[in-house]
Amino acid sequence: MTTISHNLQQVLERISAACAQAQRPTDAVTLLAVSKTWGASAVREAHAAGQTCFGENYIQEAVDKMAALRDLPLEWHCIGPIQSNKSRLVAENFDWVHTVDRLKIAQRLSDQRPVHLPPLNVCLQVNVDGGPTKSGVEPGQAQALAAQVAALPRLCLRGIMSIPEPLSEFAQQLAVHQQTRALFDAIVAAALPGVDRFDTLSMGMSADLEAAVLAGSSMVRVGTAIFGGRSYPA
Ligand SMILES: *Cc1c(COP(=O)(O)O)cnc(C)c1O
């Protein structure tokens, strides 16, 4: 077994164990393999080990990788910040975007989504722990943004995502993830017009996926635990 397939197996076992602990079915949580900074060959290796969903932060790096992997049936998720001048590349190449945090970007993505592709799946990034310099919509504004994004014709609003500040204590990780979960539940309960596939709570990374799964995450985004430490920060 290669290191990547071994690591992948271990992450899937962590997810299963966390699901069992939380009394949730194992298939309630999707693993998104975060391949930023790693080359196409690493993605190919992960795919050979059974992984199909990949997350990328840097748009140009991602598009180059997609081109090198056209022969594989992969699902690509944009999990990095999107500058306006990159929105077209995102709309044309990705299956999902987790980082919609303002209407202007959502509008551009909807306008630029090619007609031959299905609507772009999007999550709203929420600044759940309130770092003033962080991206993400403020929790109090999330429902209003959800209503606006749901009205855009070429987007499908699927849920919310969060990137809390790293915390070392399980109880602290859980508390923050539970706040995100509560916001998710509130948006579901609001039953906004056009929001009919709101099923994705994107939270949890290598260091806190257990707490995220316990709080109700449906998609964990894991890089380091699969591919190893990155040689440049991202
Ligand atoms: C890099 C990154 C991850 C993966 O983080 P690891 O700690 O390597 O698992 C998840 N989500 C986002 C938004 C990231 O930028």
Side-chain angles (χ1 to χ4, degrees):
M1 242 195 323
T2 67
T3 307
I4 288 174
S5 84
H6 171 82
N7 290 348
L8 204 45
Q9 216 46 55
Q10 295 219 307
V11 169
L12 291 171
E13 279 166 24
R14 283 175 65 191
I15 293 170
S16 300
C19 284
Q21 193 93 43
Q23 299 186 301
R24 302 178 59 202
T26 298
D27 66 4
V29 179
T30 299
L31 172 59
L32 183 64
V34 177
S35 45
K36 64 184 175 198
T37 82
W38 298 99
S41 61
V43 173
R44 203 171 275 286
E45 218 173 300
H47 174 262
Q51 181 65 28
T52 55
C53 303
F54 292 87
E56 291 281 341
N57 290 55
Y58 307 107
I59 312 309
Q60 192 58 54
E61 175 191 321
V63 169
D64 293 345
K65 232 174 275 185
M66 291 172 195
L69 294 163
R70 282 277 176 244
D71 56 311
L72 301 182
L74 305 179
E75 185 177 281
W76 292 99
H77 295 236
C78 175
I79 61 169
I82 304 172
Q83 313 299 331
S84 292
N85 63 355
K86 288 282 161 54
S87 64
R88 182 176 298 280
L89 265 183
V90 173
E92 290 178 348
N93 289 283
F94 282 87
D95 302 294
W96 283 71
V97 174
H98 292 224
T99 44
V100 169
D101 64 355
R102 55 199 194 280
L103 183 60
K104 183 183 163 211
I105 286 292
Q107 259 159 350
R108 289 179 71 91
L109 292 171
S110 181
D111 291 346
Q112 294 168 341
R113 182 67 168 173
V115 289
H116 68 276
L117 293 177
L120 183 62
N121 295 296
V122 301
C123 294
L124 305 184
Q125 181 178 348
V126 180
N127 182 5
V128 69
D129 53 358
T133 60
K134 275 173 55 171
S135 36
V137 60
E138 294 307 314
Q141 313 289 314
Q143 194 162 308
L145 182 60
Q148 292 172 311
V149 169
L152 296 171
R154 299 292 294 143
L155 302 185
C156 180
L157 179 63
R158 297 297 300 272
I160 61 175
M161 88 73 105
S162 64
I163 317 175
E165 287 304 309
L167 294 164
S168 52
E169 296 291 323
F170 182 87
Q172 294 177 313
Q173 296 171 355
L174 183 62
V176 176
H177 288 317
Q178 281 170 334
Q179 281 176 259
T180 314
R181 165 68 189 272
L183 183 60
F184 176 84
D185 288 346
I187 296 174
V188 171
L192 302 167
V195 180
D196 44 23
R197 276 189 86 190
F198 199 81
D199 56 5
T200 302
L201 184 47
S202 165
M203 63 184 190
M205 318 203 314
S206 292
D208 64 353
L209 73 85
E210 283 83 1
V213 168
L214 192 55
S217 170
S218 70
M219 197 178 287
V220 292
R221 310 178 309 263
V222 178
T224 308
I226 297 171
F227 296 105
R230 291 177 288 271
S231 56
Y232 60 95

